[in-house]
């Protein structure tokens, strides 16, 4: 309802790069994943933008930010790396894992301890919150199959764990 809603905060990030992913923070704020690999926190209590962490990769191109648990964040980078950070000491990642080239998105469902990535390699990868692969969905051209194409984004159903993805042609696929 636009007549009763009020703008609570509008702040510039101070970065020369776009925001590519956002999450709600447990402390009442928001986390912003920047394309250059930085993660900023917009703290609603003090109404300020704080730098939380930076990917150690020079020239990183962040494509996704996900919360694994209250203290662990996962960052997906276009070059295929998935990096896990502990928010309490975010100077360096606690672990890094190469997933697949050309990552395009990262989503999480912490209640199910699940992550899913998508890539331009026509691939979905379902993982646990430590980055261990549970399942790979990859369709190739062939008899009675349709390729996924350039998968651009994903979502995880919070109850069933079904994974949905969409591609550049506007096709949505759901996997259970």
């Amino acid at each position: 309802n636009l007549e009763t809603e009020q703008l609570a905060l509008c702040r510039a990030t101070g970065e020369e790069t776009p925001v590519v992913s956002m999450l709600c923070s447990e402390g009442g704020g928001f986390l912003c994943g920047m394309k250059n690999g930085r993660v900023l926190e917009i703290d609603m209590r003090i109404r300020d933008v704080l730098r939380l962490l930076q990917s150690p990769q020079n020239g990183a191109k962040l494509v996704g930010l996900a919360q694994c648990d209250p203290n662990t964040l996962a960052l997906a980078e276009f070059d295929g790396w998935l990096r896990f950070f502990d928010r309490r000491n975010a100077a360096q990642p606690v672990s890094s894992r190469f997933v697949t080239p050309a990552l395009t998105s990262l989503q999480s469902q912490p209640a199910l301890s699940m992550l899913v990535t998508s890539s331009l390699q026509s691939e979905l990868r379902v993982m646990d919150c430590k980055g261990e692969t549970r399942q790979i969905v990859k369709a190739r051209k062939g008899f009675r199959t349709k390729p996924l194409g350039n998968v651009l984004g994903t979502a995880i159903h919070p109850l069933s764990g079904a994974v949905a993805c969409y591609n550049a042609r506007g096709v949505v696929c759901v996997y259970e």
Side-chain angles (χ1 to χ4, degrees):
N1 184 347
L2 292 177
E3 292 178 19
T4 60
E5 297 295 323
Q6 293 183 358
L7 180 63
L9 179 67
C10 186
R11 296 294 302 259
T13 63
E15 299 285 329
E16 296 293 323
T17 187
V19 173
V20 296
S21 186
M22 286 188 82
L23 296 174
C24 293
S25 174
E26 298 233 348
F30 297 90
L31 300 176
C32 303
M34 311 299 290
K35 187 176 181 180
N36 65 4
R38 281 199 180 112
V39 176
L40 306 177
E41 183 168 13
I42 298 175
D43 191 327
M44 296 297 290
R45 296 169 294 190
I46 61 172
R47 302 193 173 278
D48 203 0
V49 178
L50 310 168
R51 184 172 171 183
L52 188 61
L53 59 95
Q54 168 73 49
S55 171
Q57 178 68 29
N58 287 335
K61 291 183 180 167
L62 188 73
V63 296
L65 172 66
Q67 184 123 13
C68 298
D69 61 46
N71 294 317
T72 308
L73 294 175
L75 276 65
E77 298 171 8
F78 183 76
D79 64 1
W81 284 94
L82 189 60
R83 302 183 197 283
F84 295 89
F85 289 85
D86 186 325
R87 291 182 60 172
R88 297 166 293 189
N89 182 15
Q92 292 293 320
V94 292
S95 68
S96 297
R97 179 176 303 267
F98 184 78
V99 179
T100 189
L103 288 178
T104 56
S105 73
L106 170 68
Q107 290 294 320
S108 70
Q109 192 49 258
L112 299 174
S113 189
M114 237 174 115
L115 296 170
V116 65
T117 61
S118 62
S119 78
L120 294 180
Q121 306 294 319
S122 192
E123 177 180 298
L124 293 175
R125 189 173 295 242
V126 179
M127 298 173 277
D128 64 21
C129 280
K130 294 184 185 336
E132 295 290 331
T133 299
R134 290 183 181 170
Q135 184 176 6
I136 298 173
V137 177
K138 189 166 188 162
R140 299 184 188 275
K141 288 183 181 179
F143 181 68
R144 301 180 99 185
T145 65
K146 288 187 176 183
L148 293 170
N150 293 340
V151 181
L152 300 178
T154 58
I156 305 170
H157 193 279
L159 300 176
S160 70
V163 175
C165 67
Y166 63 91
N167 66 21
R169 298 184 312 262
V171 176
V172 175
C173 299
V174 180
Y175 299 92
E176 293 184 308

